[in-house]
């Protein structure tokens, strides 16, 4: 399996995250990629390739032009105000407030942010843009005949909605790749999100569409970020009714229960018969992940990689979360090895 990766991810190196009432060093940090790369090189499932540059057009097929423009200019606007820290939203257009976009950078941050933990920093846009190019390049490998590919994306993307950023995500890499497949002849694409946190951004983007089946296995929103999306009764609207499938699970969920949800999701994907499968691969389901509450162990990632392979579909893995950094390489590559071993 070929991996696509860009060193531009290092340009996103935030120093602050709001967590537990404190500003802490972010859980989503550049060293995550170092551990994954080291494990890939040790196991050697295939070559590691740089991405091509596909420009803004594929990104604008998914994201609001206002959000894209904001992400490109926000840091300069923040600095122009004389602020010395990293850019963090402090207010939002909450219930019963107007949804008009302000002119001041403080207001713009709140207008486009869906959560306050994710600061904007120098290099954020360049890293996010590079991450999208990684996903697009990996998708094109599959379009060219590869049966699988791994888009080693950072920043991650599945929390980024049509017109909002947050949850460490700025551009929705999996959604951009899905649209790439559709724009080049695919009739149906399935996105299976196995990250611990609900893929609210991906759901938002495709909620009224039937050409993308979105399925998410995640911590129940009553107790886990992003809290306000991911309930089982969210199934799509209009033409998309029945094409969103959520499997929320409670604290302490072991692999045996998680795998039952995976089996149900895989059955639904098989029924849908997509041309391509995208896996939003987050390994924060691991038992010692610091911001999650599932109890998967390292061998379980190998097992479910094999489960996914048995669908027999051209499959694109897109990296999302995973914050037990010492184990992220092992767990991520276990999925890849399990997939390749059963494919």
């Amino acid at each position: 399996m070929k991996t696509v990766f860009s060193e531009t991810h290092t340009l996103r190196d935030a120093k602050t995250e709001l967590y537990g009432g404190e500003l802490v060093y972010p859980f989503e940090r550049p060293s995550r990629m170092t551990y994954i790369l080291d494990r890939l090189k040790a196991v050697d499932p295939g070559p590691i390739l740089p991405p091509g540059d596909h420009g803004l057009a594929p990104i604008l097929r998914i994201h609001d032009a206002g959000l894209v423009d904001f992400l490109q200019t926000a840091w300069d606007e923040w600095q122009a105000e004389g602020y010395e820290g990293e850019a963090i939203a402090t207010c939002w257009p909450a219930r019963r407030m107007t949804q008009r976009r302000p002119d001041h950078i403080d207001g713009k941050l709140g207008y486009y942010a869906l959560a306050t933990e994710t600061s904007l920093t120098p290099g954020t846009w360049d890293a996010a843009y590079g991450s999208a190019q990684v996903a697009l390049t990996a998708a094109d490998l599959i379009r060219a005949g590869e049966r699988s590919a791994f888009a080693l994306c950072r920043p991650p993307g599945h929390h980024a909605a049509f017109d909002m950023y947050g949850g460490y995500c700025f551009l929705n890499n999996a959604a951009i790749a899905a649209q790439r497949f559709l724009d080049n002849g695919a009739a149906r694409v399935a996105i299976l999100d196995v990250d611990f946190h609900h893929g609210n951004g991906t759901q938002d983007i495709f909620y009224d569409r039937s050409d993308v089946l979105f399925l998410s296995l995640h911590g129940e929103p009553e107790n886990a970020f992003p809290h306000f999306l991911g309930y089982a009764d969210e199934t799509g609207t209009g033409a998309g009714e029945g094409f969103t499938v959520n499997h929320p699970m409670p604290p302490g969920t072991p692999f045996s229960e998680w795998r039952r949800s995976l089996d149900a999701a895989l059955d639904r994907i098989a029924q849908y018969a997509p041309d391509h499968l995208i896996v939003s691969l987050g390994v924060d389901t691991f038992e010692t992940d610091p911001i999650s509450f599932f109890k998967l162990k390292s061998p379980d990632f190998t097992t479910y990689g094999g489960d996914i392979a048995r669908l027999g579909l051209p499959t694109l893995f897109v990296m999302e979360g995973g914050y037990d950094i010492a184990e992220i390489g092992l767990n991520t590559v276990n999925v890849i090895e399990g997939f390749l071993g059963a494919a």
Side-chain angles (χ1 to χ4, degrees), residues 82-93:
Y83 297 135
E84 296 185 2
E86 295 179 334
I88 299 175
T90 57
C91 60
W92 290 265

Side-chain angles (χ1 to χ4, degrees), residues 54-281:
H54 305 274
L56 279 175
I59 294 169
L60 292 171
R61 292 284 289 134
I62 287 296
H63 287 291
D64 170 60
L67 171 66
V68 173
D69 179 69
F70 164 78
L71 291 173
Q72 292 178 84
T73 61
W75 181 250
D76 289 340
E77 291 185 53
W78 180 258
Q79 284 195 306
E81 287 295 326
Y83 297 135
E84 296 185 2
E86 295 179 334
I88 299 175
T90 57
C91 60
W92 290 265
R95 289 186 294 274
R96 294 176 299 283
M97 288 184 173
T98 179
Q99 300 297 306
R100 301 173 189 173
R101 191 183 85 156
D103 291 331
H104 193 276
I105 185 59
D106 278 332
K108 286 182 183 178
L109 284 164
Y111 182 81
Y112 287 113
L114 61 86
T116 194
E117 83 297 298
T118 302
S119 60
L120 289 178
T121 66
T124 291
W125 165 253
D126 290 330
Y129 178 85
S131 192
Q133 303 308 316
V134 165
L136 287 163
T137 301
D140 283 354
L141 289 174
I142 290 177
R143 288 180 49 239
E146 298 286 339
R147 292 295 293 174
S148 61
F150 180 26
L152 183 49
C153 292
R154 180 180 178 271
H158 72 149
H159 293 307
F162 163 69
D163 57 355
M164 292 181 286
Y165 75 94
Y168 313 138
C169 302
F170 306 95
L171 299 174
N172 195 309
N173 305 308
I176 291 167
Q179 191 64 53
R180 181 76 163 185
F181 285 136
L182 294 167
D183 288 344
N184 286 277
R188 293 180 302 279
V189 176
I191 301 177
L192 173 64
D193 193 324
V194 295
D195 189 281
F196 169 80
H197 301 94
H198 178 250
N200 60 287
T202 313
Q203 175 172 308
D204 171 74
I205 289 164
F206 297 116
Y207 202 59
D208 61 355
R209 292 171 54 171
S210 62
D211 54 353
V212 176
L213 172 67
F214 173 66
L215 312 98
S216 181
L217 283 62
H218 53 271
E220 59 188 11
E222 298 95 328
N223 291 300
F225 182 91
H227 294 296
F228 302 106
L229 216 60
Y231 289 87
D233 60 0
E234 298 163 11
T235 59
T237 187
E241 177 61 45
F243 296 95
T244 290
V245 182
N246 285 308
H247 292 274
M249 288 168 273
T253 293
F255 180 59
S256 57
E257 293 180 24
W258 188 92
R259 196 181 187 194
R260 280 194 286 271
S261 291
L262 177 65
D263 287 343
L266 296 178
D267 286 346
R268 180 68 180 91
I269 293 169
Q271 179 188 35
Y272 184 65
D275 298 297
H276 303 287
L277 172 65
I278 297 173
V279 179
S280 274
L281 180 57

